[in-house]
Amino acid sequence: MKYGEFLKQAALVVASSALFVIIVLASLTTTWAQTQSDRQEQLSWWNKTDVGTTLIVVRVLQGVLTVASTAAVSSSFTRLHWNRINGDTGLSLAALLSLSPTTDFWGTIQLIFARKSKLATRVGAILRLCLTTLPWLGGVLLFARTSLITVFDTALVYDVTSGTGPFNASYVGTFVSALRDQDTDPPVAIVPYAYSSIVHNLITNSLYSTVAEPLRCQPSERDLECASYMLSGGLSLAAPWTPSGNPDHRLVRIKEVPVVQVEFHGRSGATSFSESDCLLFGSDRTRIAAELCLALAQGSMHATLFLCDGIDSGRCVANKSLTPNITTTMTVFKRQATVLSARSNLTIVEVSELTPPGQISLNTTDVDAYKAALSWLLDFRAANIPAPSSILEIFWDNQNSLSDTYVDGILLQNFRSILAFPIWLFNANNYGNTALDFKALNPGLPPEFYTTAAVVAPLVKLKFDPTLVTVFISLEGTVLLALWVALLWLFLPWSTGVGLAVSSFPAADLLFKSEVTKHNSGHSGGGLKNAEGPDVLKTAEGFMVRAARSEN
């Protein structure tokens, strides 16, 4: 056995196999990192490679693998045709051409499709073409449909209560009564600045809310006729506070958080309400006054704010020249999500992994409690607040602009924030629930509010398409399997080629170590010499090539 030949061929096959394993492992690091991220675990060092490193390593190794496996295929076919040539009967010249790496691409195609080619010749040509092409094809497909994803390295995991639940009508009366100043006559309603300061921009404030994709209505790029918002609370409604330390991990990721999605549809238009549906805010001492009407609409809430030119005998004085109002319909859904927030300023960075929505159908009890909550919030006379300092002042002062969609980003969203405010405040995980302790892991909450938070650092990773990784493994694995089979077959003791020394120069080996042993009648060496194109194949079938025998 020629051990030098075996070692050279084995080195190519082993190197190709090792590169293949490394590439597969490197392409799977993002999947493993994603698994560790989902489990809120610290990423292993090999899963922390960034996009540039992963791309360079995999691309370079894949290029080297393609060259190495192609070289191994070429070497295997060289030794395979010498194995056949060294046999007793030798090898037909056409079959030799089908196995020889010196036959170019177009020659191989002709061998496959020529009518005169025998089955063994076609099979040899197809096999060599496939095994030469597959490494290149697999390398191209491996990098198709790659994408960038973000995974998270976890430094610390701790228990929290977090999220926003449905509106709880039973909280309103207790909360409002607790804020009434009993030392005055009549008692004055207290609206803490902590609440009145955020009510105008609640749905647009990234501390508490994020914009969501609408579920029931079709959004428009021109206006806010249809808009949806996700009230998750972020870190502002998470308890306890995030532990200090780990300054390099600047985000907090909370999984399986209950969230409420509030969807609004419509912005204006006349709607009829009964007198009992409406709340009147103002006094006979100021022109700033408004009437807010709420009514059920198939499990949703329909709301209209009508601005008055003062109050006369307990009734809204309508402006004769204008019909200033804002109308919208609010539908509420409950979901679960993963919420990502910044440690530095508590803002919500991302809401992801949303579960399918389920509508929360509002009922008469909810509407009555909603009226009580908004009456406490908006009745500036009951709170002894000057009318120009009231929450309603911005609408009254901009009556001429209420029908202008250009300012919807301010006025319409302010009105919708007012409507969303009771849901945010009077849910089990906010201080509208008077049993809630300040920033503590409160017992007694519904079980969906108990979850875990992780202090994390984001890492952008290059993700290979799983299907195409499987295709790459299949294609390159097929080539490697063939190379290992050829290696074992060609260098087994009973192989007829093991005793023949083959150099790295196959053309010279063929010239000096082989001979034409016989040819069929009607064919001559001169005929082959003068043949062109398809005639070469036709003539070559008549010649046999075998290893040259040394003379005694």
Side-chain angles (χ1 to χ4, degrees):
M1 179 182 290
K2 304 297 184 181
Y3 291 105
E5 296 298 318
F6 175 81
L7 292 178
K8 286 193 295 183
Q9 182 67 10
L12 281 174
V13 177
V14 170
S16 299
S17 301
L19 288 170
F20 172 70
V21 171
I22 294 173
I23 291 171
V24 172
L25 293 178
S27 64
L28 294 176
T29 55
T30 299
T31 301
W32 298 334
Q34 200 169 10
T35 300
Q36 286 189 303
S37 177
D38 292 340
R39 293 176 179 174
Q40 296 181 323
E41 298 174 352
Q42 185 176 8
L43 297 182
S44 305
W45 65 266
W46 57 83
N47 288 334
K48 292 183 180 181
T49 53
D50 57 20
V51 174
T53 302
T54 303
L55 183 61
I56 290 174
V57 169
V58 176
R59 186 66 189 90
V60 170
L61 291 180
Q62 185 273 324
V64 175
L65 170 62
T66 300
V67 173
S69 57
T70 303
V73 168
S74 176
S75 179
S76 295
F77 275 98
T78 298
R79 283 159 176 77
L80 178 61
H81 74 63
W82 277 108
N83 178 279
R84 298 287 304 279
I85 288 174
N86 200 44
D88 293 335
T89 58
L91 181 68
S92 72
L93 182 56
L96 171 64
L97 294 176
S98 71
L99 298 177
S100 175
T102 58
T103 302
D104 65 13
F105 173 78
W106 295 112
T108 304
I109 295 299
Q110 290 183 59
L111 286 166
I112 294 173
F113 293 102
R115 288 183 299 174
K116 295 294 184 179
S117 292
K118 294 181 179 179
L119 179 62
T121 301
R122 296 181 194 273
V123 171
I126 292 173
L127 187 61
R128 186 171 65 84
L129 181 63
C130 289
L131 293 181
T132 304
T133 306
L134 290 183
W136 298 94
L137 178 61
V140 171
L141 293 178
L142 178 63
F143 288 90
R145 294 205 312 228
T146 54
S147 59
L148 298 179
I149 66 167
T150 301
V151 298
F152 299 94
D153 179 40
T154 300
L156 175 68
V157 178
Y158 61 100
D159 294 327
V160 293
T161 54
S162 182
T164 302
F167 173 72
N168 192 320
S170 65
Y171 294 155
V172 177
T174 304
F175 179 83
V176 172
S177 296
L179 289 177
R180 190 173 294 276
D181 186 354
Q182 302 295 338
D183 294 334
T184 61
D185 187 23
V188 173
I190 298 174
V191 182
Y193 176 76
Y195 299 133
S196 62
S197 63
I198 67 172
V199 66
H200 273 307
N201 65 348
L202 175 66
I203 60 175
T204 58
N205 191 333
S206 59
L207 284 172
Y208 317 107
S209 173
T210 50
V211 176
E213 194 68 27
L215 301 171
R216 295 283 181 85
C217 55
Q218 187 66 35
S220 170
E221 296 181 356
R222 299 187 303 273
D223 53 43
L224 290 173
E225 177 78 15
C226 168
S228 196
Y229 306 89
M230 199 73 66
L231 296 177
S232 63
L235 282 179
S236 65
L237 291 187
W241 290 116
T242 305
S244 59
N246 303 293
D248 293 335
H249 293 67
R250 301 178 180 180
L251 301 175
V252 177
R253 190 169 183 241
I254 311 176
K255 300 191 66 176
E256 299 178 350
V257 177
V259 299
V260 170
Q261 184 167 345
V262 184
E263 185 161 300
F264 298 95
H265 179 248
R267 63 173 309 280
S268 64
T271 303
S272 60
F273 292 91
S274 66
E275 187 173 345
S276 61
D277 291 334
C278 300
L279 301 169
L280 187 61
F281 306 113
S283 71
D284 54 6
R285 296 191 300 270
T286 178
R287 293 178 59 197
I288 298 177
E291 192 171 35
L292 176 65
C293 300
L294 304 175
L296 286 176
Q298 298 179 343
S300 302
M301 182 182 291
H302 197 65
T304 291
L305 181 68
F306 185 85
L307 299 174
C308 312
D309 192 16
I311 292 178
D312 184 17
S313 302
R315 291 185 176 277
C316 176
V317 178
N319 191 316
K320 298 295 190 298
S321 60
L322 299 172
T323 55
N325 67 84
I326 303 180
T327 297
T328 193
T329 301
M330 180 180 73
T331 307
V332 184
F333 304 89
K334 62 179 179 179
R335 309 181 76 169
Q336 273 195 338
T338 295
V339 180
L340 184 69
S341 302
R343 294 177 69 184
S344 58
N345 57 10
L346 308 187
T347 54
I348 301 169
V349 176
E350 181 186 43
V351 176
S352 61
E353 300 177 7
L354 288 162
T355 59
Q359 183 178 349
I360 302 173
S361 294
L362 302 176
N363 54 40
T364 304
T365 301
D366 294 326
V367 173
D368 291 341
Y370 232 84
K371 291 177 184 177
L374 293 178
S375 180
W376 159 76
L377 180 68
L378 301 177
D379 193 349
F380 56 88
R381 180 182 179 186
N384 202 20
I385 296 173
S389 300
S390 67
I391 293 174
L392 295 173
E393 182 275 336
I394 188 173
F395 302 103
W396 196 91
D397 202 39
N398 291 276
Q399 295 182 48
N400 295 331
S401 301
L402 290 182
S403 59
D404 185 358
T405 58
Y406 183 76
V407 294
D408 277 357
I410 299 175
L411 297 176
L412 182 60
Q413 289 195 126
N414 282 357
F415 179 54
R416 290 172 172 177
S417 288
I418 292 173
L419 295 177
F421 181 81
I423 298 175
W424 173 79
L425 181 58
F426 297 107
N427 82 90
N429 193 43
N430 206 347
Y431 298 116
N433 176 8
T434 56
L436 203 67
D437 289 333
F438 180 74
K439 284 301 175 183
L441 194 64
N442 289 273
L445 289 177
E448 62 265 24
F449 289 99
Y450 295 92
T451 183
T452 56
V455 178
V456 299
L459 178 65
V460 179
K461 297 277 292 180
L462 181 68
K463 183 176 179 61
F464 294 88
D465 185 86
T467 301
L468 295 182
V469 170
T470 303
V471 171
F472 168 76
I473 293 173
S474 301
L475 296 180
E476 189 64 39
T478 300
V479 175
L480 291 174
L481 178 62
L483 289 175
W484 279 104
V485 170
L487 179 67
L488 296 176
W489 174 258
L490 292 174
F491 292 97
L492 286 174
W494 56 78
S495 174
T496 57
V498 296
L500 183 65
V502 180
S503 72
S504 299
F505 305 96
D509 290 333
L510 190 63
L511 181 63
F512 295 108
K513 298 179 182 180
S514 65
E515 60 185 10
V516 177
T517 58
K518 65 177 180 179
H519 58 83
N520 294 337
S521 60
H523 294 87
S524 66
L528 180 61
K529 179 179 179 180
N530 297 322
E532 295 182 2
D535 292 336
V536 173
L537 305 180
K538 183 177 180 181
T539 307
E541 288 289 355
F543 289 85
M544 300 296 294
V545 182
R546 60 172 296 171
R549 302 296 190 238
S550 57
E551 299 179 0
N552 295 330

